[in-house]
Amino acid sequence: MALLLIAASINLFYKKLKAWRFKTSLAFLYYGIFAIAGIFTCLFNSDQLNSDYFANKNFNQLKVWISNEPQINGDIARFEANVTKGYFGGKTETCSGTLLIALKIDSLHPLHLKYGDEFLITAKYLPVEPPYNPNEFNFKQWLASKNIYHQTFIRQSQLIKIAENRGNPIKAFALRLRQQQVNVYRKLIKNDEAFAVASTLILGYRADLSKETLSAYSKTGTIHALSVSGMHVGIIYIALNFLLGFLDRRKATLLIKVVLICVLIWGYSLLTGFSPSVLRSAIMLTVFILSKQLNRSSNSYNVVAFTAFCLLVYQPFLIWDVGFQLSFMAVIGLIYYQPKIKKWLYFKNKWANKLWETTAMGLAAQLATLPLSIYYFHQFPVYFIISNLFILIPITLMMYLGIAILLLRLYFLAPIFEYLINFTNGGLKWIADLPYAGITEIWINRWELILLAFFLLLLSIGLSNYKRKLILLSLVVLVVFQGCVAYRKINIMHQEELIFFSLRKNYAAAFINGNQCVLITDLTAKDRNFEFFVKPALDEMEIKKTTFVTWRQDFRNDQLIKSDHQILYRGKSILLLDENFNNKKISSPAKFDWIWVHNNPKYKLDDLAKEIKPSGVLIDASNKDYMISQLSKRAILLNLSAYSLKKQQALHLKL
C-alpha cells in the first residue's frame, strides 16, 4: 500500500517533481509493486492457507462435487472434487478446498460420474506424498500447482450421490457437448489409435494414445500437435476470417464479424478444456482482433505480457505449468527470431518462399524453447524441421475435416479423415525410426538450464545488434556451461553409489559403478513401478547398462559379489535376511554393515544384532506394515540405524 501511495503521488505531481529524471528508479518501483502483488495473489489463491480449509479439522464425512471431467482407467475413476461442507458429531461446517479422489467402481453396479455431481463421502483423506526416490516425478508439487494438497482412495460403497449440476453451467454444457462429439468420432472411426488422435487433436479429449504413437510425436518434435494449442486456434481463426469475409463491406457487419469470431474462438477454447496454450491464444487473438477493429497499433511484446498477466491473475500457479512456459516461450521466439531467420534466405518462387517462411517459424519456436525442452524432456529431435513441414498440411486438413464432420454432419468424410490420421501417424513413426532421429537422455540441472538460456539470450541480442562484447560474453557463458557439463560427465564416469529405493510392495537396490548398474529387484524393465520409481534415477545418473538380479539369484562381477544371502560391494557387506533364516542360528560370528530384512522373517533382531553386530537395518516393502513398524522400533532400541524402504526417503550412499 505504501508503494502504491508513492507511485500515485509521483504520477499526480510528475511535472513538479521532474520525475523523468528518475526513470530507472521508477521502473524498479513499479516492478516491486507487481512482484508484491504477485506474492499476495499467490497467497490469496492458496486454499491450504484458508481458515475453513477442510483438512484443518477431523470431519467424519464431507460433501463434495466433481469439479473436472472424471478419468476412468479400468475400474478406477479419478477426479478432482470441491469440498463444500464437513460433518462431525451431528454438526455441519462450511469448508473450502479441493480433494483428489480415486474411486473404485463396483463392476456389477457401476456408478456413472460426470462434472457437477454432488456426493457425501467418508473423510479418510491423506496429504499427497512427496517423492521418495531420486529424480522421481514430484506428484505432490504438481498437484500443489493445481491447489490440491490432499487425496483419498474410496470404494463406491463409501459414497452417496445427493445432487447433480452443481458446477458452472457453461462448463457443464461444454463438457456434455464435447462428450457427444467424442461419441460421434467413436462411431465413425474404426481404428482405435486414429480415434484417440482425432479426439485429442480436435476436442482436447485426453484419450488413451499408445506409447508408440506418443513416442513418435515426441521424438519428431511434433508433440504440440497432440495438445490443442495456439496452432489449432490459429487454423480456426483463418477459416472463420475467410468464411465471414463477406461481412467486411460495412462497418456494422464488420462489427458483427468481430463479435462472431471472438465468441466462436472462446467457445472452442471452452470446449477443449481451457488449457494454458488455448487460453493464451484466445486472449492474444481477441486483443489482436479488437486492436485491428479499433485501428490501434499493437506491440506484440505488450500483447504477450498482457496475456500472461491476465492468466496469472486468474490462476497464479500457472507459472509452474510446463505447457504455459513452453507456449509463451514459443510465441516470444516467433516474434523475435522468426523475422530475423526469414531474412537469411529469399526465394523468387512464391511457394518456395512460403515454405522457407514456415521453416523459419519452426526454427524460431524450437530455438526459443530449446533450454526448457531439454530440461523437461531430456531429448532433442534432430529432424524437427522435416517432421513439422511434413505435418503442416495434414494437420490443417485434419482440423478442417474433423470440424466439418462434427458441425456440418458430413459423415461421408470420416474415412478420408481416418486415412489422413493413419497416414500422418505412419509418416511420423517412419521419421522417428530414421538413424539419429533424436538425441536422447540429455540431462541438465537448473544451473545449467540458466546458463544455456543466458547464452542464447546474450548471443541473440549480440548478433541482432552487432554488439561484439555481448557475443564474447555469450561465448564465455557457453564455455562455463560446457565446463559444468564436462565436470558432471567426469564425475559420472567415476561414480560409485548405492541406492536402496523406497517402493510400495517391491524391493530394488542399485549398485552403481561408472555408467553401469547391477539392480537387485523383483521388477522388470517393462514394469510400471520400475519406470516410475527406479528408472528416472538411473537415467539421471546416465546409466548405460543395467543388469537385473533377483533376490535368490547369485551374481558376481569385478565390483559386486552376491552369494549365499550375502552381498559384498566396494568394501560394504550386507546380510540378506529372509524366511530361510527361520528357526536357524548363525554358528560363527560375522560382521556386516547392514542387515537387509525381506519378506517377514521370524528371526529375532536382538539375537542377530549380538551375532553379527551390524551398523544398520534395511527393511524393504515386501514386509508387512506391522513388521516394518516393529523392526524399526526394535532397531532404534538396539542403537542401530533403521531404514524403512516404504513411504520413507530412499537410502542413497555415495561411496
Side-chain angles (χ1 to χ4, degrees):
M1 291 301 295
L3 290 174
L4 283 173
L5 185 62
I6 293 167
S9 302
I10 291 170
N11 191 56
L12 284 171
F13 305 103
Y14 191 81
K15 290 183 178 179
K16 288 184 179 180
L17 295 172
K18 298 180 180 179
W20 58 82
R21 296 178 300 173
F22 313 105
K23 283 184 177 180
T24 305
S25 301
L26 287 174
F28 279 107
L29 171 68
Y30 288 119
Y31 282 133
I33 290 170
F34 276 104
I36 293 169
I39 291 168
F40 276 101
T41 304
C42 287
L43 291 173
F44 294 148
N45 276 273
S46 182
D47 291 343
Q48 198 176 24
L49 300 178
N50 294 337
S51 58
D52 62 349
Y53 184 64
F54 70 90
N56 292 338
K57 294 187 178 180
N58 296 319
F59 294 109
N60 292 330
Q61 291 89 27
L62 295 173
K63 185 191 282 188
V64 304
W65 62 272
I66 300 175
S67 58
N68 73 333
E69 195 171 30
Q71 302 294 317
I72 299 173
N73 186 7
D75 60 347
I76 302 294
R78 288 183 172 83
F79 53 88
E80 298 167 15
N82 282 359
V83 182
T84 56
K85 291 185 184 297
Y87 301 92
F88 176 74
K91 295 181 180 179
T92 305
E93 287 192 28
T94 302
C95 301
S96 67
T98 306
L99 180 66
L100 180 66
I101 298 177
L103 175 69
K104 185 172 177 60
I105 297 173
D106 186 346
S107 57
L108 297 177
H109 305 285
L111 183 67
H112 298 288
L113 304 166
K114 63 180 184 297
Y115 171 83
D117 286 351
E118 189 173 49
F119 298 97
L120 192 68
I121 65 168
T122 55
K124 294 182 178 179
Y125 48 81
L126 291 170
V128 180
E129 294 180 355
Y132 295 126
N133 298 294
N135 205 47
E136 181 185 327
F137 176 69
N138 197 331
F139 189 59
K140 181 177 182 177
Q141 188 180 64
W142 181 73
L143 282 180
S145 70
K146 300 176 74 176
N147 228 346
I148 300 172
Y149 308 95
H150 288 80
Q151 62 180 345
T152 185
F153 183 90
I154 58 175
R155 297 179 181 277
Q156 190 172 311
S157 58
Q158 298 171 297
L159 171 149
I160 301 171
K161 187 174 180 179
I162 54 178
E164 292 183 347
N165 304 320
R166 271 301 312 271
N168 186 315
I170 298 174
K171 185 176 180 180
F173 170 76
L175 290 174
R176 284 198 303 271
L177 181 61
R178 183 171 73 169
Q179 189 58 54
Q180 289 171 7
Q181 310 313 312
V182 169
N183 292 338
V184 171
Y185 280 152
R186 181 69 280 180
K187 291 177 183 177
L188 296 173
I189 301 173
K190 308 302 179 186
N191 183 278
D192 289 340
E193 199 61 31
F195 160 72
V197 171
S199 301
T200 307
L201 177 72
I202 309 296
L203 300 168
Y205 180 80
R206 295 290 180 181
D208 292 327
L209 289 163
S210 70
K211 287 185 178 181
E212 187 181 7
T213 300
L214 279 173
S215 177
Y217 278 86
S218 180
K219 285 182 180 179
T220 54
T222 54
I223 194 71
H224 58 86
L226 288 179
S227 57
V228 179
S229 62
M231 179 183 73
H232 302 72
V233 178
I235 289 171
I236 290 172
Y237 167 71
I238 291 168
L240 290 173
N241 193 47
F242 173 75
L243 292 172
L244 299 175
F246 66 92
L247 296 173
D248 291 339
R249 297 170 186 173
R250 297 178 183 178
K251 285 188 177 181
T253 55
L254 184 60
L255 182 61
I256 294 170
K257 174 188 172 182
V258 168
V259 173
L260 270 174
I261 289 176
C262 290
V263 169
L264 289 170
I265 284 173
W266 280 97
Y268 179 72
S269 302
L270 178 65
L271 184 65
T272 55
F274 273 158
S275 71
S277 54
V278 171
L279 278 173
R280 185 261 306 158
S281 304
I283 294 173
M284 288 183 67
L285 267 174
T286 304
V287 173
F288 168 75
I289 292 167
L290 292 177
S291 63
K292 189 177 178 182
Q293 175 65 18
L294 297 170
N295 294 320
R296 298 290 184 91
S297 59
S298 58
N299 181 292
S300 299
Y301 296 105
N302 284 345
V303 173
V304 172
F306 174 74
T307 305
F309 179 81
C310 291
L311 290 175
L312 293 176
V313 167
Y314 167 70
Q315 175 51 276
F317 301 127
L318 275 177
I319 194 71
W320 304 114
D321 185 89
V322 177
F324 179 91
Q325 295 171 12
L326 291 172
S327 177
F328 275 91
M329 287 307 300
V331 173
I332 291 169
L334 291 174
I335 295 169
Y336 184 79
Y337 288 119
Q338 200 265 348
K340 295 173 175 58
I341 295 172
K342 191 173 73 171
K343 291 178 182 177
W344 292 354
L345 294 172
Y346 176 75
F347 297 93
K348 291 182 179 180
N349 183 280
K350 176 184 175 181
W351 295 108
N353 204 50
K354 282 189 177 294
L355 187 65
W356 168 241
E357 288 179 2
T358 305
T359 305
M361 287 175 64
L363 281 169
Q366 195 70 41
L367 187 60
T369 57
L370 177 65
L372 285 175
S373 297
I374 291 175
Y375 179 70
Y376 286 122
F377 306 116
H378 318 296
Q379 63 181 9
F380 178 75
V382 175
Y383 303 135
F384 72 91
I385 294 176
I386 298 170
S387 53
N388 276 280
L389 287 174
F390 168 73
I391 69 163
L392 180 64
I393 294 174
I395 286 290
T396 306
L397 291 174
M398 279 192 279
M399 285 292 297
Y400 292 148
L401 282 171
I403 292 170
I405 289 168
L406 297 177
L407 290 183
L408 305 177
R409 308 292 180 182
L410 302 177
Y411 297 150
F412 66 90
L413 295 175
I416 302 172
F417 184 46
E418 183 174 351
Y419 170 79
L420 201 57
I421 293 172
N422 291 329
F423 169 76
T424 306
N425 290 349
L428 290 176
K429 288 174 183 177
W430 180 79
I431 294 171
D433 291 335
L434 289 174
Y436 312 107
I439 304 170
T440 59
E441 298 181 7
I442 310 171
W443 289 86
I444 59 173
N445 56 39
R446 288 186 181 180
W447 287 110
E448 290 165 355
L449 168 67
I450 293 168
L451 286 171
L452 181 58
F454 196 43
F455 157 71
L456 288 173
L457 179 66
L458 289 173
L459 184 64
S460 302
I461 297 172
L463 289 174
S464 61
N465 296 297
Y466 304 104
K467 299 286 186 181
R468 187 180 297 177
K469 289 182 179 179
L470 287 179
I471 295 171
L472 289 173
L473 183 59
S474 71
L475 294 176
V476 171
V477 174
L478 179 62
V479 170
V480 175
F481 168 76
Q482 293 284 12
C484 291
V485 173
Y487 177 74
R488 187 163 46 81
K489 293 281 186 183
I490 292 168
N491 284 339
I492 285 168
M493 290 170 61
H494 298 92
Q495 64 188 349
E496 293 179 0
E497 302 187 15
L498 177 54
I499 305 174
F500 288 93
F501 291 93
S502 181
L503 302 173
R504 293 172 182 173
K505 294 181 180 179
N506 309 93
Y507 64 91
F511 298 82
I512 297 163
N513 186 271
N515 58 7
Q516 296 188 13
C517 165
V518 176
L519 188 68
I520 299 176
T521 183
D522 57 345
L523 301 173
T524 63
K526 293 182 180 180
D527 194 298
R528 289 189 67 182
N529 287 319
F530 171 77
E531 292 182 351
F532 192 81
F533 298 113
V534 179
K535 191 174 184 294
L538 302 183
D539 287 342
E540 186 186 30
M541 300 174 78
E542 300 189 26
I543 302 299
K544 304 298 181 187
K545 181 184 177 183
T546 302
T547 304
F548 287 79
V549 179
T550 62
W551 181 267
R552 300 188 182 282
Q553 181 181 348
D554 288 343
F555 178 84
R556 181 187 294 264
N557 66 12
D558 294 339
Q559 287 81 32
L560 183 141
I561 299 172
K562 180 182 181 295
S563 179
D564 195 24
H565 286 80
Q566 300 171 61
I567 294 175
L568 184 64
Y569 177 71
R570 311 301 291 178
K572 300 291 182 182
S573 54
I574 305 170
L575 177 67
L576 306 181
L577 181 66
D578 59 14
E579 66 275 12
N580 287 324
F581 282 72
N582 293 348
N583 304 315
K584 294 180 182 179
K585 188 176 181 180
I586 296 175
S587 58
S588 57
K591 183 168 178 61
F592 289 90
D593 293 290
W594 295 298
I595 302 169
W596 182 351
V597 185
H598 174 75
N599 206 24
N600 307 296
K602 295 179 181 178
Y603 204 105
K604 289 185 179 180
L605 191 59
D606 301 57
D607 297 338
L608 195 60
K610 292 175 184 177
E611 291 166 353
I612 64 173
K613 297 180 180 179
S615 59
V617 179
L618 306 166
I619 311 162
D620 69 31
S622 67
N623 297 281
K624 293 180 180 177
D625 288 346
Y626 79 89
M627 280 286 293
I628 295 174
S629 178
Q630 287 180 5
L631 287 167
S632 298
K633 290 176 182 177
R634 198 63 205 158
I636 292 169
L637 290 174
L638 294 169
N639 293 320
L640 300 176
S641 299
Y643 298 98
S644 170
L645 301 174
K646 183 177 184 179
K647 294 187 178 181
Q648 299 291 334
Q649 289 296 320
L651 179 60
H652 189 178
L653 302 173
K654 296 186 177 183
L655 306 180

